[in-house]
Structures are given as C-alpha cells and as structure tokens.
Amino acid sequence: MTAPTTFRIGGDPEVRRLGFGAMHLRPGTAEARAACIAVARRAVDLGVTLIDTAHMYGWGANEDLLAEALHPYPEGLVIATKVGIRHTASGEGWRHAGDPADLRAQVDEALRRLRLDRIELLQLHRLDPHVPLPDQLGALRDLREEGKVGRIGLSEVTVDELAEARSVVDIAAVQNRYNLLDREHEPVLKACEAADIAFLPWRPVAAGESGARTEIAAVAKEVDATPTQVVLAWLLARSPVILPIPGTTSVAHLEENLGANAVHLTQEQYDRLGRVSAPA
C-alpha cells in the first residue's frame, strides 16, 4: 500500500504526516534539558515538520524548551500548541479555562514562550463545560482574525461536538486518542476524513502492548521492522488525514518511530492488522 506522505492542514501549510509529540520532553536537571533539546533538534534534522506541544506540558516549560532548541525555526516547521487548561494546586492539578479573556491571555503567553508572532495551529485542549462553546471558539476566531492564530483545532471531542464547533468556526484539526489497539474514536476519525480535517492521534502507539501481540510481531518480522514501526505504518495507511505524533525522550526511539515512514504494508498485511482486537 502507498500512503501519501504529506497533508495540508486546513488547506495549508503542508506538513509531513509523521510528526513529533513533545509532551514527554520535561527538562529537570541541566543534563535532562540538554537531552530533551537534542531530541527536538534531531526530529527536525530527520525531516519532521509538525511538532505538537501544549501549555499543560510542564505548564509552559515544554513550549520554552522547544523555543530554546529550535528558534529561529526552520522554514516549513509547524509548532502546534494547545490552550484551555490552567494549573491548580489541588484536585487533578488542572482546571478548564475556556473563558474568552483567559483564552486570549493563554495565547499571548504561548506566543511569548514559543517566540512566535503567529501560532499556525492552535488547539483547544478541552472544551470547557462551564463556558458556551460559541464563546470559546469565538475568542479563538477573533484571535485568528487578528493574525495571532493561523488555524483552529480541537482535542478530545465527539462527533456531535465537532459538528457544533464547525457551525461556529472552521476546524482544521482534531486530536483524540487513537491507535491500532484503541479505536474508540473511529467515528470522529471518519468525520474528519469526510471533511478533510487533520486527525492527530495522541498515544498512537499502545506502549508495551504492540510488541506483545503475536499478529503485530508476525507482520513486523515479514517487513523487517519493529512492532512500533508497524503500528505507525498502519496508522499512516489507515487514512490520509491521520497525522501521528509519537513522542519520546530518546533519540534512538525517535529514529525508530520515524523509520515507520519507510515501512510499506501490503493490503493483506494491513487487513490482517486491522483485525487485531483491543486487549480485553
């Protein structure tokens, strides 16, 4: 099977479909920070043109680190980030923050941390149940019209929520949990495919499970690849709108992940993988 290697988010910009999720880059010591910077730079060296981050990842530290590692950004690199969540000292450690004034402040903070004049893909990390959706998306739409945001995306939404959001503003991307062994959000993927909306599956590799499944291991052996590469290749073949964003803190694992670009599945192998069921 031959899958397209690029996708135009919201019609433009064009990115390579296999991107990088920066969530795990959590610098602590100077040594850890240097290692995280090395991973981010290696991702770009290997041709990654889409990197996903969020305010929630270290409460700004992840965005700061990406700017330190990659600014001035190479031409064609898209840094996508997410807003809509604030840190708290109690409970789950976070709260919804979809008030329009708060969203505007969060975007300004992200622009400062990332050293950008415009965020090409800004995603609402969670819909705030306490704020009308038109107010949340209206704030992001206003920021887009002001030139601070290029395209608007959503995260963790249902088909109905996506449809409601699209009645307010154009949606360029959706980020939901999805992988070969977890296809709960298949209806959302299909809705994105029908509308040519980018679908960024978070947790695209079922960590610790893919390599233990005999069916996946068998295909990996047939194509001389690792189980991780096989499940990523399956995602790339699954739909042209899927943009996997596997993350890691290891250069070796990064190189393994991106090696999935070179894995080509036959139709029979793709179908066989598709029949693998989620663990009970």
Side-chain angles (χ1 to χ4, degrees), residues 138-222:
L140 301 187
R141 181 186 57 213
D142 292 346
L143 288 162
R144 187 186 65 184
E145 292 173 355
E146 294 169 21
K148 292 184 176 182
V149 171
R151 287 144 206 85
I152 296 168
L154 303 173
S155 180
E156 287 302 282
V157 292
T158 65
V159 170
D160 289 343
E161 289 168 338
L162 174 58
E164 182 182 359
R166 294 183 66 210
S167 71
V168 179
V169 68
D170 292 338
I171 299 299
V174 168
Q175 188 171 151
N176 278 19
R177 187 187 69 251
Y178 187 90
N179 58 61
L180 175 61
L181 301 180
D182 180 359
R183 287 175 254 173
E184 175 186 349
H185 294 293
E186 185 77 24
V188 180
L189 168 60
K190 292 304 180 185
C192 289
E193 189 173 60
D196 203 32
I197 294 171
F199 185 88
L200 283 62
W202 64 268
R203 196 180 294 164
V205 178
E209 298 175 5
S210 300
R213 301 301 293 268
T214 57
E215 305 95 327
I216 299 173
V219 174
K221 184 176 181 179
E222 292 166 14

Side-chain angles (χ1 to χ4, degrees), residues 49-68:
T49 54
L50 173 63
I51 295 179
D52 177 79
T53 182
H55 169 61
M56 189 180 189
Y57 305 160
W59 305 114
N62 196 267
E63 293 170 325
D64 281 332
L65 182 134
L66 288 176
E68 180 181 344

